[in-house]
Amino acid sequence: MSTLLEHGRTHDCGSLRAADVGATVVLFGWVHRRRDLGARIFVQLRDRFGITQVVFGKDLDAAAYEAASGLRGEFCVAVKGEVVARGDNSNAAMATGEVEVNATELQVFSPADTLPFNVADDDKLDASEALRLKHRYLDLRRPSLQKNFVLRSRLATLTRITLAEQGFLELETPYMVKYTPGGARNFLVPSRLNPGMFYALAESPQIFKQLFMVAGMDKYFQICRCFRDEDLRNDRQPEFTQIDVEISFATPERVFAPIERLIRRAWSEVLGVTLPDPFPRMTWAEAMNRFGSDKPDLRFGLEFVDITDLAHKSGAKIFEAAKLVKAIVVPAAHSESLSRGRIDKLTELVKKRESGGAKGLAWAKVQEGGSWTSPLTKAISAEFQAEISARVGAEPGSVVLVVADEPHTVHAALNALRLELRDSLDLVKHSGSDPWRFLWVTDFPLFEKSERGYVSSHHPFTSPRLDQLALLDSDPSQVLAQAYDLVLNGNEVGGGSIRIHQSDVQAKIFQVLGLSEAQIQQKFGFLLDAFRYGPPPHGGIALGLDRLSMLMCGAQSLRDVIAFPKTQKGTDLMTGCPSGADDAQLAELYIGHRDLPATPES
Amino acid sequence: MSTLLEHGRTHDCGSLRAADVGATVVLFGWVHRRRDLGARIFVQLRDRFGITQVVFGKDLDAAAYEAASGLRGEFCVAVKGEVVARGDNSNAAMATGEVEVNATELQVFSPADTLPFNVADDDKLDASEALRLKHRYLDLRRPSLQKNFVLRSRLATLTRITLAEQGFLELETPYMVKYTPGGARNFLVPSRLNPGMFYALAESPQIFKQLFMVAGMDKYFQICRCFRDEDLRNDRQPEFTQIDVEISFATPERVFAPIERLIRRAWSEVLGVTLPDPFPRMTWAEAMNRFGSDKPDLRFGLEFVDITDLAHKSGAKIFEAAKLVKAIVVPAAHSESLSRGRIDKLTELVKKRESGGAKGLAWAKVQEGGSWTSPLTKAISAEFQAEISARVGAEPGSVVLVVADEPHTVHAALNALRLELRDSLDLVKHSGSDPWRFLWVTDFPLFEKSERGYVSSHHPFTSPRLDQLALLDSDPSQVLAQAYDLVLNGNEVGGGSIRIHQSDVQAKIFQVLGLSEAQIQQKFGFLLDAFRYGPPPHGGIALGLDRLSMLMCGAQSLRDVIAFPKTQKGTDLMTGCPSGADDAQLAELYIGHRDLPATPES
C-alpha cells in the first residue's frame, strides 16, 4: 500500500502542462471534485499548488477504475498515470487545463468523512465562522486562505532576507519577562520554582531591544510574538506578531530607509507593484490639518479646507463662536446620491461621540456661479456663498460639508465623515489612482493630557525633538516627539521613535510624567542602570506583520492571515482553550481559584 | 552636539585598511582601551565589527585632544579624522592594524560609569556569571559573545532561506494553547476573559504542525519558542528555540534531505567546513551495540567488542552468569596514564547508578603475544587471554576494559567509560580526524516499559515501522518506530518521526498505551477529529537551535548563545523576574495565592 508513497510524487498538482504529454507521473493530493459519468470517472486532484484532472476508466485500468468508484470528496490519494492532452476540452481557467492524467494506479492514503462544510466551493462558502474555526484544519484547505498564508510566509522571508542583507542581526528576546504591577495589559504566568512569584508574557521586546543597542549589537531585528491581555475588539488577538527593529546611531531617516526597502521589495516580488522611493512623509500636524487623522487614507481626496475666516465674516450665527470651521467638498461626480436623507444620516454621524461629537453639520449644494442650495442661504449672503465656494474649490453640483467647533472636534467629525463617504460613495475605486498609499507620519506630540496629567503618547523612552527641550519646562503639551508611524491606506501598520539615551533628558521626561523615584526604579530601574554605561543614540520601529499581511492579501480580517486565531473571547474553538486546570497543578503553582462567577464553567 | 550623528558614520570600526589612507572618516563606537602618553592620546574605538585606533594630539586638533583627555572606558563617542598609515607600528593582530585615525573632532554621545567588570579583557574575564547576568547588556559587549550571536543569527537566516527555497512555508502556531491536565510540564496562564480557565504555554507546535499537514500546507517550518516548566538542570531553559519542520507525503529520507541541506550550507558558509553528503545513518540497535548510546560520539574510537562467547568459555567465574560481556580497548598510544589508581576510579564510575550500575570492571594490560597483566590472569588461561586480545584487536601495550552484566547495564557502563576516557585522555584532539561528526540514528524502539506499562519513547503519534504492525499485538517491546535523531559529536541536536495518519493504527497504539476513550478524547480529541478528513502521510523533525548554535560556536553553555537567559532557578538576574503581583491583578484573573512557604519572598 505504500509503494507510491515510497516512490514519491513526480509533480505537484499545479505543474503539468502540454509539454508533459506522454509522461508517466505520480501525483498526491485531495479529491477536490468527482464526477462519475459511468464509463469515465473524473477526479479533480488538489494540493497547495493547484488542481489536475485525473481520468479513470475500465479500459485505462480496471483496478484503478474500481478503486476510484469508492472515492469521495477530500479523500487523500496517490495516482499514477499518463499525461494526455485534453485538446478541445482544454480548461483555460485551470493552469493545468491543457492536460489530464489517465490513471493506471490509485492508492488511498486516507478516506474522509463527509465534511462539515464544503472547502471546494471556496467562493460560495456558507459555513459560519464558528464552524470554520472549529474545523480550522479544513478551513485552511480553502485555496483562498492557502494563498494568504503563502503570501504571509513570503513577506516574512523577504523581510528577513532584506534586513539581514543590510547588516541586521536577528536576535531573540525572552517571552517570559518581568511583571510590573500597575499595568493591566499583561498575561501572568505563575512560577513553580519561585512560590508566589509571576512572570509576565512580554507585550513587546521594547526594553530588550534597547538593551541590545546598549550591548553594541548595532542593528537588531526580530519577527516576534507579542502578548496583550486586552478586551478583544473585533480585530485584536491576544497574541500577535510584529516585525521589530532597532538601530544604533539612528535618525528617523535611518529607520525609514531599511523599512521602505523591505516593503518595496515585498510589494515588487509578491504583488508586482512598484512603490515610490522614498515613501512620502507628512508631519502629524499636517495630517491632522488636512485629514483630521494621524493615519490619513491618501487613496482619495476630500481634503479639509479651512474657512474659519470667511465663516466668521459671513454673519451666520452658527459659525460665530466656533474656533475652527472646516469644509470638505464632494465633487459633482459623486454628489448625486447625497439626498437630504443621506445628509441627515451624515449629520447623525458627526454628532456621535466616537466621531468627535460635533454639534452639527452644515451643508450646501453649489449652483452655477457659486451660490448655494442650503439651509444656510438665509443666514449667508450670496456673495459669501460664492466666496466660500471659491475657497473650497467647489464647482457647480458639488456638495460642501462644514463643521464648526473646537479644533479636535472639527477634525474628528470631518475625518469620520470623510471615511464614511469613502465607503458609501466607493471613492477609492472611482479615484482610480495608486491603490497602495504608504505614508510616514512624523513629529507626533510627545505627550497627551489625561485627567492624571501628562502621559506619553508612545512610551516614556521616546525622544523629544532636541530643538524643543526648553518646552519641557514651559509647555510640555507643545513638545513634538521624534516619533513616526507608517501608514498604509488609512491603516497604521507600524510605529516607532528615536529613543532617549541621555540620562538628563530621561529624568526630565519622568518628571513631566509625574513619576516618583520609587516608581521609576520599580518600572525601569534596570534600563536606567544600563544607560549609565555608554548607551548609543538609537531608535527603531515595530511593524504589525498580521495587519501588513492582511492588507497585502486584501483580506477583511486578521483571522484570515493567522493560522489558528482566537475568538473575541480569547477562545480557540478547535482545541477548546482555555480550559479548566486540575487542583493539584494549581497547588504546585501556589495559586488557587477565587471569586469565580456564580456558575463557573470549569 | 548631534552634528556627527546626523552626518552618519562613513565606516564601521572594523573596515579601514591601508587603501583608505588620506580619507576623512567618521566612526562611532565605544572606548575599548585608552592610553594617555601626554602629547598623544591613543583610543581603541570598538563596535560590533572591530576595533580602530584613534589618535588625539594637540597638534592634530586642540579641542578634540582636550575632549579626549576626559574619555574613559566604554564612553560611546563619535570621532572624525583622517586615516593615516601606521607603517612600522602596524598591528598585525588587528584587521585595521595598518592604519589609525588622526582625530580632528570628538563628540561624546554618552559617558560611562566605571564598569562592574571589564569587557575589554575578554580573555581574562574574572567576573562571576551572576554578576555578568545582572549586567547582561555589558556582558554582551564582549567580542567573544557578540561573535556567538552573529553566528546564531546567520544560522537562523540560512535555515530560513534554505527551507524557503525548498518550498517550505514558514507558518506560525499559537503559544497560548489548550492545557491538558495530567502533564506537569506546562506553564499555565490564567484567562481573565474566561474565569477559572487557563491557557498552557505551548511546549511544542507538534499538534499544530500536524494539523497544517491535514490542512494541505505540504511543507511547513517555523523557528519557534517552546516552553517547559521543568526543574532546570544545568543546561535547560524554561523557554528555548527550535527549528520545527513537518512534511506531507514524507519518508524518513525526505525529512533528512532538506535538513542536511540546510546544515551543510550553514557549516559551509559560516564555518567554511564541508560536511559529507549524505550524513551517515546508523540504526538505534547498531548504535547501542557499538557505542552503548543512542547519540554516539564518532570523533574517536573505543568501539565496543562483544566477547560474550569467549568469556563464557574462558572459565572465569565473574563472566559465567553474565548475559553479555563487552570490551573496549584503549590503544597503547593512550594507555600509559591508565595506572591502577586510574582504573580503580573507572571502576567506581561504572558502578554508579547513573552510569548503569555495573557490578565491576575487569581490565587487562596486553603483553607481547597477547597475554595479559591483569587480576584475571589466574582465572583465565594464557590461551584465552590471547584469543580475547585478538578478538578485540588489542596490541601490546593496549588496555582492555570489560563489563559483564545485563545488556543495558553493559551498554550504559561502557558508554560512561568511553565518554570519560574521551575527556580524560583528550581522545578527540588526538584522533585528529573530522571534528564535525553528524549522524542520523534511526529505528528507535516505539515503546519504553515503565511501571505503569508501555509508554511512547517519543510521542503517541509516532508511526511504527509498517512491516511490524503484527508485533503490536504479540510483543510491543519489539516494535521499532519510524523515528530518528540527528546527532552531532555525541549530542542530540534534533529528533523526529513519521507520524501515524491511519486511524486504525492510532487506535491500536492508544490501546497498547492503555489510554481510555475518555483520556484519548480529552487529550487528542480534536486531532483525531481532524484525522477523519483525509490526513496525508506526514512526518517531521525539530532541531534545537540553541544547542546547534552552541556547538557551532564552540560555546560551553546554552547561556552563551541565548541573549537573555534565565538561571537554573528560572530567574532573570537583570530585570528581577519573576516578581510579586499585586492582589488587584490576581483578583482580575480569578486567582489568589495559596500554600506559600513560611517566608514568602513576595
Side-chain angles (χ1 to χ4, degrees), chain A residues 270-416:
Chain A
V270 179
L271 299 179
V273 167
T274 303
L275 295 175
D277 179 5
F279 293 170
R281 285 99 165 99
M282 188 183 289
T283 65
W284 176 85
E286 182 182 349
M288 294 307 290
N289 194 39
R290 289 171 58 189
F291 303 100
S293 167
D294 58 4
K295 45 182 180 183
D297 187 344
L298 301 184
R299 288 173 300 172
F300 66 104
L302 304 198
E303 282 193 34
F304 304 174
V305 185
D306 190 338
I307 57 167
T308 312
D309 56 334
L310 295 179
H312 282 173
K313 285 188 277 181
S314 70
K317 282 235 159 57
I318 57 164
F319 295 150
E320 240 167 32
K323 282 215 186 113
L324 186 69
V325 186
K326 281 190 169 179
I328 59 180
V329 180
V330 182
H334 305 297
S335 66
E336 204 166 295
S337 63
L338 284 182
S339 63
R340 283 295 284 268
R342 271 310 259 287
I343 290 175
D344 288 346
K345 287 253 163 70
L346 294 176
T347 306
E348 283 166 34
L349 172 70
V350 301
K351 286 179 169 175
K352 278 188 188 159
R353 190 147 174 268
E354 61 269 33
S355 314
K359 284 185 286 289
L361 178 67
W363 66 272
K365 186 146 194 171
V366 178
Q367 310 299 320
E368 288 292 339
S371 65
W372 296 352
T373 303
S374 165
L376 290 170
T377 47
K378 283 178 197 154
I380 300 182
S381 70
E383 186 192 352
F384 264 109
Q385 292 172 26
E387 202 169 339
I388 291 174
S389 296
R391 166 77 65 85
V392 301
E395 294 177 312
S398 302
V399 169
V400 181
L401 300 166
V402 179
V403 175
D405 218 308
E406 293 293 310
H408 67 269
T409 306
V410 172
H411 288 152
L414 283 181
N415 175 47

Side-chain angles (χ1 to χ4, degrees), chain B residues 23 41 56 143 148 157 174 178 196 220 283 392 420 484 548 557 595:
Chain B
I41 298 172
F56 296 88
N148 289 356
T157 301
K178 180 183 169 72
Y220 142 95
T283 64
V392 302
E420 165 60 26
Y484 32 79
L548 208 52
S557 160
D595 305 335

Side-chain angles (χ1 to χ4, degrees), chain A residues 5-9 28 30 48-49 74 76 109-116 137-138 140-141 146 149 152-153 160-161 167 169-179 181-183 186-199 208 211-212 214-218 222 225 227 229-231 239 241 249 254 501 526 529-530 532-537 563-564 566 569-571 574-583 585-587 590-597, chain B residues 5-9 28 30 48-49 74 76 109-116 137-138 140-141 146 149 152-153 160-161 167 169-179 181-183 186-190 192-199 208 211-212 214-218 222 225 227 229-231 239 241 249 254 501 526 529-530 532-537 563-564 566 569-571 574-583 585-587 590-597:
Chain A
L5 177 62
E6 277 161 23
H7 179 283
R9 63 185 164 198
F28 299 157
W30 284 264
R48 176 163 85 68
F49 308 94
E74 300 303 316
C76 184
F109 289 132
S110 60
D113 288 358
T114 301
L115 266 61
Y137 41 86
L138 298 178
L140 289 174
R141 282 189 192 170
Q146 294 210 333
F149 288 94
R152 181 184 173 128
S153 175
R160 291 183 158 112
I161 292 174
L169 298 180
E170 181 157 13
L171 301 170
E172 296 181 64
T173 52
Y175 287 136
M176 291 167 61
V177 301
K178 180 183 168 73
Y179 165 66
N186 287 126
F187 287 103
L188 291 195
V189 182
S191 168
R192 181 174 57 85
L193 296 177
N194 302 274
M197 309 287 241
F198 295 82
Y199 302 95
F208 291 102
L211 292 175
F212 276 140
V214 176
M217 293 298 182
D218 207 77
Q222 184 182 201
R225 210 69 60 83
F227 303 87
D229 187 13
E230 289 178 346
D231 292 317
E239 48 183 309
T241 303
F249 314 112
R254 272 175 223 148
H501 71 279
F526 63 95
D529 275 355
R532 289 165 47 211
Y533 301 106
F564 297 102
K566 300 224 169 28
K569 281 274 286 178
T571 60
M574 180 182 70
T575 62
C577 141
S579 58
D582 56 13
D583 202 57
Q585 171 88 355
L586 297 187
Y590 305 96
I591 59 171
H593 291 300
R594 85 169 186 206
D595 305 336
L596 285 181
Chain B
L5 177 61
E6 278 161 22
H7 179 283
R9 63 184 163 199
F28 299 156
W30 285 264
R48 174 162 86 68
F49 309 95
E74 300 302 315
C76 184
F109 289 133
S110 60
D113 288 358
T114 301
L115 266 61
Y137 42 85
L138 297 177
L140 290 174
R141 282 189 192 170
Q146 294 210 333
F149 289 95
R152 181 183 172 129
S153 175
R160 289 181 160 113
I161 292 174
L169 298 179
E170 181 157 13
L171 301 171
E172 295 182 65
T173 52
Y175 287 136
M176 292 168 60
V177 302
K178 180 183 169 72
Y179 165 65
N186 287 126
F187 288 103
L188 291 194
V189 182
R192 182 174 56 83
L193 297 177
N194 302 275
M197 310 286 241
F198 294 82
Y199 302 94
F208 291 103
L211 292 176
F212 276 140
V214 176
M217 293 298 183
D218 207 77
Q222 185 182 199
R225 211 69 60 81
F227 302 87
D229 187 11
E230 289 177 347
D231 292 317
E239 49 183 307
T241 303
F249 314 112
R254 270 174 224 148
H501 71 279
F526 61 95
D529 274 354
R532 289 165 46 210
Y533 302 106
F564 296 102
K566 301 223 168 29
K569 281 274 286 177
T571 60
M574 179 181 71
T575 62
C577 138
S579 58
D582 55 13
D583 201 59
Q585 172 88 356
L586 297 187
Y590 304 96
I591 60 170
H593 291 301
R594 85 165 185 209
D595 305 335
L596 285 182

Side-chain angles (χ1 to χ4, degrees), chain B residues 187-313:
Chain B
F187 288 103
L188 291 194
V189 182
S191 169
R192 182 174 56 83
L193 297 177
N194 302 275
M197 310 286 241
F198 294 82
Y199 302 94
L201 291 181
E203 58 180 281
S204 95
Q206 182 64 36
I207 286 181
F208 291 103
K209 71 175 174 174
Q210 293 194 239
L211 292 176
F212 276 140
M213 298 302 103
V214 176
M217 293 298 183
D218 207 77
K219 289 180 180 175
Y220 142 95
F221 85 100
Q222 185 182 199
I223 298 185
C224 63
R225 211 69 60 81
C226 301
F227 302 87
R228 290 192 197 163
D229 187 11
E230 289 177 347
D231 292 317
L232 303 175
R233 279 176 276 153
N234 188 30
D235 227 14
R236 293 258 187 167
Q237 288 285 322
E239 49 183 307
F240 59 95
T241 303
Q242 72 185 32
I243 302 169
D244 197 48
V245 167
E246 196 78 5
I247 298 174
S248 287
F249 314 112
T251 59
E253 288 296 332
R254 270 174 224 148
V255 176
F256 297 169
I259 300 300
E260 288 196 17
R261 189 159 149 182
L262 80 85
I263 287 180
R264 271 195 298 273
R265 180 169 176 179
W267 255 249
S268 168
E269 292 195 15
V270 179
L271 299 179
V273 167
T274 303
L275 296 175
D277 180 5
F279 293 171
R281 284 99 167 99
M282 189 183 289
T283 64
W284 176 87
E286 182 182 349
M288 294 308 291
N289 194 40
R290 290 172 57 190
F291 303 99
S293 169
D294 58 4
K295 45 183 181 183
D297 187 343
L298 301 185
R299 289 173 299 172
F300 67 103
L302 303 201
E303 282 193 32
F304 304 175
V305 184
D306 190 338
I307 56 168
T308 312
D309 55 336
L310 294 177
H312 281 173
K313 284 189 276 181

Side-chain angles (χ1 to χ4, degrees), chain B residues 390-411:
Chain B
R391 166 78 65 84
V392 302
E395 293 176 314
S398 303
V399 170
V400 181
L401 300 166
V402 179
V403 175
D405 218 308
E406 293 292 309
H408 67 269
T409 306
V410 173
H411 288 154

